[in-house]
Amino acid sequence: MLETNGERLWDSLMAMAEIGATANGGSSRLALSKEDAAGRALFVEWAVAEGLTVVRDTIGNLFARRAGCEDRAPVVLGSHLDTQPKGGRFDGVLGVLAALEAVRTLNEKRIETRAPLEIANWTNEEGARFTPAMLGSSVFAGAMTLTEGLARVDADGTSVADSLAATAQAGDMRLGRDMDAYFELHIEQGPVLEDNANTIGVVTGGQAIRWLDIRVTGKAGHAGTTPMPVRRDGMFAAAELMRVVEQRAGETSGLLATIGEIHVDHGSRNTIAGDLRLTLDLRHPQDDVVDAAIDELRGLFNDICERRGLAYDMSVHWRSPALPFDADCVAQVRDAAAALDCDWQDMISGAGHDAFHLARHCPTAMIFIPCADGLSHHEAESIEPEHAKIGADVLLNAALARAGRA
Amino acid sequence: MLETNGERLWDSLMAMAEIGATANGGSSRLALSKEDAAGRALFVEWAVAEGLTVVRDTIGNLFARRAGCEDRAPVVLGSHLDTQPKGGRFDGVLGVLAALEAVRTLNEKRIETRAPLEIANWTNEEGARFTPAMLGSSVFAGAMTLTEGLARVDADGTSVADSLAATAQAGDMRLGRDMDAYFELHIEQGPVLEDNANTIGVVTGGQAIRWLDIRVTGKAGHAGTTPMPVRRDGMFAAAELMRVVEQRAGETSGLLATIGEIHVDHGSRNTIAGDLRLTLDLRHPQDDVVDAAIDELRGLFNDICERRGLAYDMSVHWRSPALPFDADCVAQVRDAAAALDCDWQDMISGAGHDAFHLARHCPTAMIFIPCADGLSHHEAESIEPEHAKIGADVLLNAALARAGRA
């Protein structure tokens, strides 16, 4: 098996982290900001030095191409260079720079591939400046129209189109062109690999996600004058709904339930909560398991609210079906991990990634490495250099298997 | 027993409601606004027409005095004319105009009292423009210094001092002068009288109030990547705390528990809630019962948070001890209600009132009448004209018993 140069990869990661470096050791390169443009420029400089051909598409996705012996659809390796406002040094960046390290290794060892290789840097993956997240890959793969993508504005009202122009990141490469396969290396952003003491996660797909909006309609009232028995307290009702959600999640292995937001309309400390809004994020590798949980929760919520004399409404805000990755690409990742004799496991991706959009466009797989304490979207995001190197090794060998050695 | 003129009282209430009238049938006279000044001016006009002497103190409390045969401390009847931004027509206003109606009745019937009678309109009872609520009575009774009261500012940065000057409401009457007694008629702002089909509440005092701040410290994390068993979810912990609070309140008759506010720090729908803040409002007629409940809740919270691996903190934000009203004044109210042959009951005041500050200054009692559906601080606030009249009758006769008929 080929091995990458871990030191060179780490040096590149550290050099990129200097662009938009934050006081607490993170990076701040919001999509299409001048910091993001500087990060892209550094990447382009490195890519050109490796003899790669750099092109951009109309939504600013950046591709660095290494020709193959055969003129056909490329095997693409990538991720994103943009970060959260106070982001870490590895989320996304690792996938792009490990792809660069793979190419550097091939160049160094004068290995040619049959299919061309491309490194992709997708625009606005984080969604921190422009919503939605994964905007560039979404437009590339046709989940969002170019017009819609260009029209998205940030908090200051600046559009993607204007930001692309200001940073000279728009190109004319065709959206949705053929790709032979897509491989993305990423930090796990969760604790599973670390807890299992594994180095490589062979990602078999994305889980089913449902974002639900719950509205509880009780009756506001004076905290000092309303006897408990006549109250229709939205807060205590919400507490009981939340308990039921937690209990239901505990009954099904792998079912994730998160209530991340709760808002009391016109809330004050001496007013009984009348109307409340809660969010519910439910995830599981299988669609039918999530949907069955939702049905069951509706019944439980009905019982609770009927008993309490309150009304509730639960609507689906976003439904993302479970997304299995391509069996062949997953096998290529798994084979590479096994051949490299590292500690690996199959796993599902809990977070969203550009690879999810690509998976609807071409055969796709992902590779995870651990991040300390599962922490990401944070300046303290941390990985082991050795893990980064092994991740790059798996990426290189899986891509090479796919592209074919000339 | 003397009876007031219900129609005249109602006409005065409706005339006052025209000042700052809102589209939905309420009134908007924020403290020391031009609407409040206009409301005060109308009251002064009525008072002067009844031969009363109008004076103001240095925090703008307005007094209309009817001389007694004896030159001694007055029996004071009052409440407030200021309203919430979208307030009702009766909260506070009833107490001032029923006092006026009592005086009108005495004038009409040429009845003199031994002690002087005064009608009081306290400044900024609502707390909607300047905090805290009950500012005028608080400064009068010495719970807050004049300097501090004058320095309070509204949301636009305008001080009480400047607002008093702008509306010409500051006078030179001495704060904290002697009063023989204080009687306040008010709408109940709760459902008890209505539910019991009673017309008069003989208020025996105010309940013990504790405002507590609870902080739950869990661990934020990614909703999609963090397995349930390793989560330290602040929201689900908060839900369990809330359930325990509700259950504990259910075990003690008269214990009121309200969680009116909850805030997730940096909350988002796909982030496990790390740090949360909740408020807890606990009330009961007896201090020891509230304090015992707090101690018990601390123990329960400890168990919950320890089991879940989270931390919590609960601190007392405000402690208002139970406040029994003066036994003689309460008896005078009760006797008046009984003699008038109306349906009455003893009760506690759940809400705060100017009378609470006065009770620390002089013998005090309150009278409640029902308001529809317990609703107040709302444009739809509603009372029965007949109840207003009976309330004024009780006020008049209790005050007359106290002041002594000449």
Side-chain angles (χ1 to χ4, degrees), chain B residues 85-98:
Chain B
K86 291 189 172 189
R89 298 175 292 172
F90 308 105
D91 176 352
V93 189
L94 174 67
V96 177
L97 298 189

Side-chain angles (χ1 to χ4, degrees), chain A residues 17-340:
Chain A
E18 287 301 309
I19 301 177
T22 64
N24 299 313
S27 293
S28 181
R29 291 191 305 274
L30 286 173
L32 303 179
S33 64
K34 67 179 202 303
E35 291 80 11
D36 186 29
R40 286 165 170 247
L42 177 60
F43 168 74
V44 167
E45 184 188 318
W46 286 334
V48 168
E50 293 300 319
L52 307 187
T53 309
V54 174
V55 295
R56 295 174 178 82
D57 66 18
T58 43
I59 196 73
N61 296 317
L62 181 67
F63 304 97
R65 185 183 184 100
R66 184 178 191 264
C69 303
E70 299 167 11
D71 182 21
R72 56 176 171 98
V75 172
V76 182
L77 292 61
S79 193
H80 60 96
L81 293 171
D82 71 322
T83 74
Q84 291 284 324
K86 291 189 172 190
R89 297 174 293 172
F90 308 104
D91 176 352
V93 188
L94 173 67
V96 177
L97 298 188
L100 177 67
E101 175 52 35
V103 165
R104 283 170 167 166
T105 301
L106 293 175
N107 283 355
E108 197 173 52
K109 299 185 190 297
R110 299 171 189 280
I111 296 170
E112 288 190 75
T113 56
R114 289 213 293 274
L117 292 184
E118 275 187 32
I119 307 170
N121 168 46
W122 305 105
T123 298
N124 190 61
E125 192 276 344
E126 290 291 357
R129 180 171 178 199
F130 303 101
T131 58
M134 300 170 261
L135 186 141
S137 54
S138 166
V139 170
F140 177 88
M144 176 183 279
T145 65
L146 175 62
T147 310
E148 199 183 340
L150 291 173
R152 309 299 295 195
V153 292
D154 66 10
D156 297 330
T158 306
S159 69
V160 169
D162 288 345
S163 305
L164 284 168
T167 53
Q169 294 301 322
D172 54 9
M173 174 58 74
R174 194 167 59 83
L175 297 168
R177 65 198 161 87
D178 281 351
M179 292 180 167
D180 178 68
Y182 177 70
F183 292 95
E184 182 168 353
L185 170 65
H186 207 280
I187 61 171
E188 180 200 332
Q189 301 180 271
V192 174
L193 289 173
E194 190 173 57
D195 287 353
N196 295 346
N198 282 327
T199 306
I200 293 291
V202 177
V203 185
T204 57
Q207 58 194 341
I209 307 176
R210 305 290 182 273
W211 281 0
L212 299 137
D213 290 329
I214 303 171
R215 170 169 281 282
V216 176
T217 306
K219 191 178 173 191
H222 193 298
T225 63
T226 316
M228 295 300 283
V230 306
R231 295 187 180 200
R232 288 186 280 138
D233 186 321
M235 186 72 83
F236 287 137
E240 196 173 355
L241 300 187
M242 289 195 273
R243 293 286 292 148
V244 160
V245 167
E246 188 183 26
Q247 281 154 13
R248 182 61 190 78
E251 289 166 14
T252 303
S253 173
L255 183 62
L256 302 179
T258 308
I259 294 173
E261 292 187 59
I262 181 168
H263 297 282
V264 185
D265 293 355
H266 313 293
S268 87
R269 69 160 71 229
N270 57 347
T271 302
I272 299 160
D275 294 358
L276 290 97
R277 288 166 292 128
L278 298 83
T279 60
L280 173 58
D281 177 315
L282 283 176
R283 307 190 190 205
H284 189 272
Q286 291 169 248
D287 282 294
D288 55 347
V289 173
V290 184
D291 291 331
I294 292 173
D295 287 345
E296 210 173 311
L297 286 175
R298 278 192 203 281
L300 295 165
F301 289 1
N302 279 337
D303 294 347
I304 292 168
C305 290
E306 201 166 304
R307 170 164 43 74
R308 289 176 175 269
L310 293 104
Y312 90 97
D313 177 73
M314 180 161 71
S315 58
V316 179
H317 180 90
W318 183 50
R319 181 184 195 282
S320 179
L323 184 78
F325 284 150
D326 178 76
D328 289 342
C329 289
V330 170
Q332 279 152 344
V333 170
R334 193 184 291 120
D335 291 349
L340 285 159

